[in-house]
Amino acid sequence: MISGLNLSCDMEHLALLYLATLQAICHGTRHILRELNAKGYRIKYIFLTGGLGKNSVFVREIADITNSTILIPAELDAVTLGSAILGAVASGVYPSFLDAMSSMNKIGHSVTPTSDSSILKFHDRKFQVFLAMYEDQMKYRRLMK
């Protein structure tokens, strides 16, 4: 759900819309983590694979918004790596998937959340907006049933 769109199409507004889209994905992830942690999980790390792991803006935003350490694997192409792991186990190079995964997959680097309280407070406020919009969306869905 997007709020506050206007007819502007200059580069600054497109950049802000792009950033807002990335942040919305991150706030959705924060919402999921909050619900899982409320059920007894204690998730502190996010293992990020695929194309978004190459996007430094997304990686920074998800670390800050979820207050999680982001682990970026050395090999970002999870599909190719997964296929290689399957092949290695099937051919007997490794006796188990766990052995193959432990040997073939390593952390390339990690990104920790900011300690800047003004950024954290900003994202806390923005998360409250996200939750209000989410609740509104659920209300609209119920109305349309």
Side-chain angles (χ1 to χ4, degrees):
M1 196 151 96
I2 298 175
S3 175
L5 284 178
N6 59 36
L7 297 177
S8 177
C9 61
D10 63 26
M11 287 303 284
E12 180 180 350
H13 284 95
L14 291 174
L16 287 172
L17 182 58
Y18 176 76
L19 178 61
T21 301
L22 291 180
Q23 289 177 342
I25 294 167
C26 298
H27 282 290
T29 302
R30 179 176 174 172
H31 189 204
I32 292 167
L33 293 176
R34 185 185 80 159
E35 296 301 312
L36 288 170
N37 288 337
K39 302 287 188 216
Y41 292 91
R42 293 295 168 250
I43 300 168
K44 299 185 293 185
Y45 301 95
I46 296 174
F47 193 76
L48 183 62
T49 64
L52 281 176
K54 298 175 188 175
N55 184 326
S56 61
V57 174
F58 178 78
V59 174
R60 165 59 41 219
E61 291 299 308
I62 197 159
D64 292 348
I65 290 170
T66 64
N67 198 30
S68 301
T69 298
I70 309 304
L71 305 174
I72 308 292
E75 174 54 60
L76 283 172
D77 191 343
V79 173
T80 303
L81 179 59
S83 297
I85 289 170
L86 290 171
V89 174
S91 66
V93 173
Y94 292 100
S96 71
F97 289 111
L98 187 56
D99 289 329
M101 289 166 50
S102 297
S103 179
M104 297 173 72
N105 196 14
K106 303 291 182 214
I107 300 299
H109 69 281
S110 63
V111 176
T112 56
T114 186
S115 58
D116 184 330
S117 64
S118 65
I119 292 173
L120 296 173
K121 287 176 184 174
F122 170 79
H123 285 306
D124 285 344
R125 291 189 309 272
K126 202 161 192 176
F127 186 62
Q128 293 308 308
V129 172
F130 172 89
L131 290 175
M133 290 176 71
Y134 173 80
E135 290 302 323
D136 285 345
Q137 184 182 31
M138 294 300 102
K139 181 174 63 176
Y140 303 148
R141 283 185 182 181
R142 287 189 297 274
L143 287 172
M144 295 306 296
K145 283 187 175 183

